[in-house]
């Protein structure tokens, strides 16, 4: 092991981390200019440095412990070893340890304390906001007048002014020609708008670049020992700039007797007394050396060693001030560069705008003056029958407002198309110069006969570059107005439907309504509504009996409703009755099962279906209980309440138990509910436990 071991330090990492955390280096955005951050050669480098602070006391944990009272005191033998005599192992070890201890204190220890002080001083300077003010101002001044800032500003102004001017000129010409009440005048005068481009443009300073420009050896006023210490350090500060781990500058291994012994041993050459020692003598030498080194080091006057802390702090302060000055200069340079770009661009923009505006205005005015510029205004659609309803297969008359704002007459094809139209209609329109055009004949399109009623679509018109869309609603005169109303007595098997019918046309029509059960008993019913006046509505009610209660409770009943003027319906809809088996506010399922159990012979199919629906009701009841406060199953069991659907079921069965003749309706249902409880979602062990207890009351 060589003295190189003691030169391995992470001071570079500590300083780089301090720079990165203190100076907040920004990530490099895209499309920035890589500026040189050069200085003005005519201006001498000057910094209004704040006076360095007084050197802080060295941390106590870095000091060497005071001598111990029980330290071994082995004296070295000064007498020469007689020929053939045994070597004085202890004396030689003591002598070697004393020599190495002196070197460790004067060289190795001094460097470690210097490094620790250097790191503290550098961080103190980097965190001192008083430093670098002049450098920032100087960087701002020089960056603002960087020739590249002027070139970039002029380029930005030219790139922005061209499109802006052409757009402004085109808008100005268009505004004149689209006003048919006045004659356009070729007047290209304009005023450039305010232009303030957004930056930044200069590349953001990088911590690593600053540390390369200002290496540790660039610290002003370094002593010779300090320079020798710097030359032996491993790694450059920039290599640690992105290390996010805490770094410690001081390495206390310099006072470790084992490390010191390793350094001494590695220096011994072949032929030395060490090389002639036997293994047992080497081990004794090592033990004596380590004991003596520690005692000898503690007994030395270490004030010159500790002085490295003071000198290192002062050197570190100067280095940190130099780094901060360069960083502030670059920060100011980037800010000044961006301001210079913005100032040049703002100043150059009006001139570039005026030049581009003149050319753009002349080209636009010539185009509008020499060519037709048709436009489509309001578009009106009328149905061929005149009743105000656009029906599938009906012809639609398109009446567009067409204007030519251009100074020249001409002609163009007017086209009408749409996804729900039967083909495309085309006609040629003659365009007078700066005037309104009229069509020579009716312009007609046809709605596709396959278009469903209640379809929102559009007719798209194109005339040259002009385009317009007219909304088109395809329907029939008669329409079902809103949702039909359903009233039902589920236990009695009765359903009543009330249908509102509207005549959306302007003409009176003979109307009828028809209801056909899709699921359930009964034949279709038709109501003659008589002549329904245009724009009026009426209602019709249909009643059906004979439904199975469970069909209504389960929501299996469905009806098709249609309205017609003749054989073919104008509007059709399907409606289903709402299921109430899982509606916890409805008792229909529970009342049906109680009634079913009172019959001497309950149909087996009804029993199985009702029990299945009740289990679905219990699932809904579980979700409601999970969302409630506390344990509603427990409260229902202890008080005989009906807060839950299960509690309501248990209470109703208890109340009617003597009158129930068909035991198959409820026998074993409680066990099924208990089994269901194990499969219900959620981690609610107590809620599940009391649900099972309550289920036992059902049967």
């Amino acid at each position: 092991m060589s003295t190189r071991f003691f030169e391995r330090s992470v001071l570079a990492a500590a300083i780089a981390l301090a720079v990165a955390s203190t100076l907040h280096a920004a990530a490099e955005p895209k499309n920035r200019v890589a500026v040189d951050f050069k200085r003005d050669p005519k201006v001498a480098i000057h910094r209004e440095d704040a006076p360095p602070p007084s050197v802080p006391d060295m941390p106590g944990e870095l000091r060497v412990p005071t001598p111990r009272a029980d330290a071994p005191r082995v004296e070295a033998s000064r007498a020469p070893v007689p020929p053939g005599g045994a070597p004085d192992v202890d004396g030689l070890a003591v002598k070697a340890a004393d020599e190495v201890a002196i070197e460790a204190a004067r060289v190795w220890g001094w460097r470690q304390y210097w490094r620790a002080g250097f790191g503290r001083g550098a961080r103190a300077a980097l965190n001192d906001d008083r430093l670098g003010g002049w450098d920032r101002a100087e960087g701002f001044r020089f960056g603002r007048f960087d020739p590249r800032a002027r070139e970039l500003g002029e380029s930005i102004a030219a790139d922005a002014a061209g499109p802006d001017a052409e757009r402004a000129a085109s808008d100005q010409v268009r505004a004149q020609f689209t006003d048919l009440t006045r004659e356009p005048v070729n007047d290209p005068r304009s005023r450039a708008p305010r232009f303030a481009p957004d930056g930044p443009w200069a590349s953001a300073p990088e911590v690593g670049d600053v540390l390369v420009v200002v290496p540790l050896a660039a610290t002003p006023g370094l002593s010779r020992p300090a320079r020798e210490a710097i030359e032996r350090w491993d790694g450059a500060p920039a290599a640690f700039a992105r290390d996010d781990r805490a770094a410690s500058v001081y390495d206390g291994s310099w006072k470790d007797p084992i490390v010191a012994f390793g350094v001494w041993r590695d220096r011994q050459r072949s032929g030395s007394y060490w090389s002639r020692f036997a293994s047992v003598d080497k081990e004794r030498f090592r033990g004596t050396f380590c004991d003596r080194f520690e005692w000898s080091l503690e007994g030395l006057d270490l004030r010159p060693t500790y002085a490295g802390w003071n000198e290192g702090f002062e050197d570190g302060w100067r280095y940190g001030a130099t780094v901060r000055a360069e960083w502030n200069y670059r920060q100011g340079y980037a800010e000044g560069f961006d301001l210079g770009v913005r100032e040049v661009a703002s100043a150059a923009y009006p001139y570039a705008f005026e030049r581009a505006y003149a050319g753009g205005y002349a080209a636009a005015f010539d185009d509008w003056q020499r060519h037709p510029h048709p436009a489509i205004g309001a578009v009106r659609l009328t149905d061929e029958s005149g009743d105000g309803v656009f029906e599938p297969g009906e012809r639609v008359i398109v009446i567009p407002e067409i204007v030519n704002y251009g100074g020249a007459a001409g002609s163009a094809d007017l086209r009408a198309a749409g996804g729900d139209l039967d083909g495309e209609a085309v006609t040629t329109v003659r365009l007078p110069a700066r005037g309104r055009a009229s069509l020579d004949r009716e312009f007609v399109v046809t709605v596709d006969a396959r278009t469903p009623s209640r379809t929102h679509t559009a007719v798209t018109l194109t005339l040259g570059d002009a385009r317009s869309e007219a909304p088109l609603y395809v329907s029939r005169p008669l329409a079902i107005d809103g949702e039909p109303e359903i009233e039902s007595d589920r236990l009695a098997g009765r359903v009543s439907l009330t249908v509102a019918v509207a005549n959306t046309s302007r003409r009176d029509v003979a109307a009828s309504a028809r209801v056909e059960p899709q699921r359930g008993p009964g034949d279709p019913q038709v109501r003659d509504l008589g002549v329904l006046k245009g724009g009026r509505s009426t209602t019709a009610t249909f009643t059906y009996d004979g439904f199975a209660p469970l069909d209504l409770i389960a929501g299996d009943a469905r009806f098709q409703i249609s309205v017609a003027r003749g054989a073919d319906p104008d509007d059709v809809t399907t409606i289903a009755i709402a299921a109430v088996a899982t509606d916890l506010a409805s008792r229909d399922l529970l009342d049906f099962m109680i009634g079913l159990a009172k019959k001497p012979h309950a149909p087996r199919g009804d029993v199985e279906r009702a029990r299945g629906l009740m289990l679905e009701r219990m699932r809904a009841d579980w979700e409601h209980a999970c969302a409630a406060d506390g344990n509603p199953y427990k409260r229902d069991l202890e008080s005989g309440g009906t807060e839950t659907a299960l509690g309501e079921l248990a209470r109703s069965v208890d109340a009617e138990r003597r009158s129930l003749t068909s035991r198959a309706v409820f026998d074993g249902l409680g066990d099924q509910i208990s089994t269901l409880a194990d499969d219900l979602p959620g981690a609610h062990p107590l809620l599940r436990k009391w649900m099972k207890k309550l289920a036992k009351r059902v049967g």
Side-chain angles (χ1 to χ4, degrees):
M1 185 180 297
S2 66
T3 55
R4 186 74 172 169
F5 175 85
F6 295 103
E7 313 309 330
R8 296 175 183 173
S9 171
V10 289
L11 174 61
I15 293 174
L17 284 171
V19 173
S21 61
T22 304
L23 306 182
H24 305 291
E28 182 68 16
K30 296 180 180 179
N31 303 325
R32 286 203 187 185
V33 177
V35 297
D36 297 329
F37 298 111
K38 55 187 176 181
R39 291 182 177 266
D40 190 344
K42 299 179 182 179
V43 178
I45 297 178
H46 170 72
R47 294 189 301 276
E48 297 178 356
D49 291 333
S54 58
V55 179
D57 293 337
M58 185 174 66
E61 62 268 17
L62 301 186
R63 294 182 179 273
V64 178
T66 56
R68 298 172 300 170
D70 60 344
R73 300 181 179 274
V74 182
E75 298 296 335
S77 174
R78 302 298 179 182
V81 178
D88 184 2
V89 175
D90 290 336
L92 293 173
V94 168
K95 181 180 179 181
D98 289 344
E99 294 174 352
V100 175
I102 294 173
E103 180 184 359
R106 292 179 178 178
V107 181
W108 307 342
W110 186 92
R111 288 178 181 173
Q112 291 302 323
Y113 289 122
W114 184 89
R115 292 176 182 180
F118 190 98
R120 176 71 68 87
R123 285 190 291 272
L126 292 172
N127 286 304
D128 195 334
D129 294 335
R130 300 175 300 168
L131 300 177
W134 182 92
D135 296 273
R136 192 181 191 94
E138 178 63 11
F140 184 88
R141 181 188 70 82
F142 201 47
R144 181 182 178 187
F145 297 106
D146 189 315
R148 294 183 65 186
R150 183 174 189 84
E151 296 174 3
L152 182 58
E154 291 176 348
S155 174
I156 291 173
D159 292 344
D164 291 350
E166 291 183 6
R167 185 165 46 252
S170 177
D171 292 344
Q172 178 65 21
V173 172
R174 180 183 295 104
Q176 290 191 67
F177 277 87
T178 54
D179 184 359
L180 296 179
T181 62
R182 70 172 189 173
E183 189 66 25
V185 178
N186 192 343
D187 183 8
R189 290 179 297 177
S190 67
R191 176 178 295 180
R194 180 178 177 274
F195 181 67
D198 294 329
W201 296 279
S203 58
E206 292 286 348
V207 171
D209 295 339
V210 174
L211 297 177
V212 170
V213 174
V214 188
L216 297 178
T219 304
L222 287 177
S223 65
R224 182 176 179 179
R227 288 191 177 277
E228 291 178 354
I230 288 177
E231 291 174 358
R232 293 178 179 271
W233 285 355
D234 291 334
F240 301 92
R242 290 179 174 84
D243 191 352
D244 59 354
R245 295 173 298 175
S248 174
V249 176
Y250 176 78
D251 184 358
S253 62
W254 70 272
K255 53 189 177 184
D256 188 337
I258 297 177
V259 174
F261 173 75
V263 173
W264 178 89
R265 182 189 58 199
D266 292 345
R267 291 175 177 176
Q268 306 309 305
R269 299 180 180 179
S270 60
S272 66
Y273 63 82
W274 170 260
S275 64
R276 295 193 297 272
F277 279 167
S279 297
V280 64
D281 292 334
K282 287 184 177 181
E283 183 60 27
R284 180 178 178 181
F285 184 96
R286 187 189 66 82
T288 303
F289 181 98
C290 291
D291 290 340
R292 179 67 181 193
F293 175 85
E294 190 173 11
W295 177 86
S296 179
L297 187 64
E298 293 173 355
L300 292 174
D301 181 7
L302 295 177
R303 286 178 295 178
T305 303
Y306 294 154
W309 166 271
N310 295 359
E311 184 175 338
F313 182 88
E314 294 172 354
D315 292 340
W317 168 268
R318 291 193 297 273
Y319 175 77
T322 304
V323 170
R324 176 139 193 155
E326 179 62 25
W327 174 262
N328 282 14
Y329 179 85
R330 294 185 175 216
Q331 289 280 71
Y333 195 104
E335 294 175 3
F337 187 94
D338 291 342
L339 178 60
V341 172
R342 190 176 295 106
E343 289 177 339
V344 171
S346 298
Y349 180 84
Y351 301 99
F353 182 90
E354 291 180 4
R355 291 193 299 270
Y357 185 91
Y361 187 96
F365 195 93
D366 183 73
D367 175 63
W368 281 79
Q369 184 69 35
R370 294 177 177 273
H371 301 91
H373 280 264
I376 302 174
V379 179
R380 185 161 57 92
L381 303 179
T382 62
D383 62 299
E384 190 175 37
S385 64
D387 63 357
V389 178
F390 299 96
E391 299 185 49
E394 186 174 11
R395 287 160 50 93
V396 178
I397 302 171
V398 183
I399 307 174
E401 179 185 6
I402 299 175
V403 182
N404 177 22
Y405 294 113
S411 62
D413 287 341
L414 175 65
R415 299 178 179 275
D420 295 294
L421 299 182
D422 186 7
E424 180 184 67
V426 182
T427 186
T428 300
V429 181
R430 298 185 181 278
L431 304 170
R434 289 186 54 73
R436 301 182 183 277
S438 59
L439 302 181
D440 297 337
R441 59 182 182 275
E442 281 189 344
F443 192 44
V444 179
V445 295
T446 303
V447 179
D448 193 325
R450 298 167 295 180
T451 304
S453 186
R454 299 176 181 262
T455 297
H456 290 273
T457 185
V459 177
T460 302
L461 300 179
T462 56
L463 181 66
D465 294 334
R467 178 186 175 92
S468 180
E469 283 194 353
L472 176 66
Y473 180 64
V474 180
S475 64
R476 303 282 186 181
L478 293 180
I480 298 173
D481 192 6
E483 287 290 327
E485 298 179 2
I486 301 180
E487 294 183 0
S488 65
D489 184 343
R490 291 177 173 82
L491 299 183
R494 181 179 299 108
V495 177
S496 293
L497 300 168
T498 300
V499 182
V501 182
N503 180 7
T504 62
S505 70
R506 293 190 288 262
R507 296 180 179 177
D508 300 344
V509 297
S512 64
R514 183 177 186 272
V515 175
E516 179 179 358
Q518 299 293 297
R519 293 182 182 176
D523 297 326
Q525 297 183 21
V526 179
R527 294 284 187 277
D528 185 357
L529 305 179
V531 177
L532 189 60
K533 294 185 175 297
R536 295 294 187 88
S537 299
T538 188
T539 60
T541 301
F542 302 81
T543 302
Y544 283 88
D545 290 307
F547 277 93
L550 284 178
D551 287 343
L552 300 181
I553 292 173
D556 289 342
R558 190 179 300 272
F559 305 88
Q560 185 184 73
I561 305 171
S562 60
V563 292
R565 292 169 290 168
D568 297 326
D570 277 13
D571 198 6
V572 179
T573 189
T574 300
I575 188 171
I577 190 169
V580 295
T582 56
D583 181 2
L584 302 182
S586 172
R587 280 183 52 96
D588 285 352
L589 177 59
L590 178 56
D591 290 342
F592 175 80
M593 293 183 71
I594 294 293
L596 190 64
K598 290 181 179 181
K599 296 180 179 180
H601 303 285
R604 182 176 179 181
D606 288 352
V607 171
E608 292 180 354
R609 188 179 184 193
R611 288 167 70 105
L613 291 174
M614 182 57 70
L615 292 178
E616 292 300 319
R617 184 177 180 84
M618 292 300 101
R619 288 183 180 275
D621 190 38
W622 168 261
E623 295 177 1
H624 177 74
C626 290
D629 294 332
N631 194 327
Y633 290 125
K634 180 180 179 182
R635 292 194 292 268
D636 280 358
L637 180 62
E638 293 177 344
S639 64
T642 59
E643 184 178 348
T644 64
L646 180 55
E648 186 179 33
L649 173 62
R651 182 173 179 177
S652 298
V653 172
D654 283 345
E656 301 286 348
R657 194 174 300 277
R658 293 184 179 181
S659 62
L660 303 181
T661 57
S662 292
R663 302 176 60 86
V665 176
F666 293 108
D667 280 355
L669 180 58
D671 294 336
Q672 286 185 281
I673 296 174
S674 296
T675 302
L676 173 68
D678 293 329
D679 297 331
L680 292 173
H684 305 280
L686 294 179
L687 197 65
R688 205 181 309 273
K689 170 185 174 182
W690 286 95
M691 181 183 184
K692 291 181 178 181
K693 288 185 177 183
L694 185 57
K696 292 180 180 179
R697 292 179 49 190
V698 176

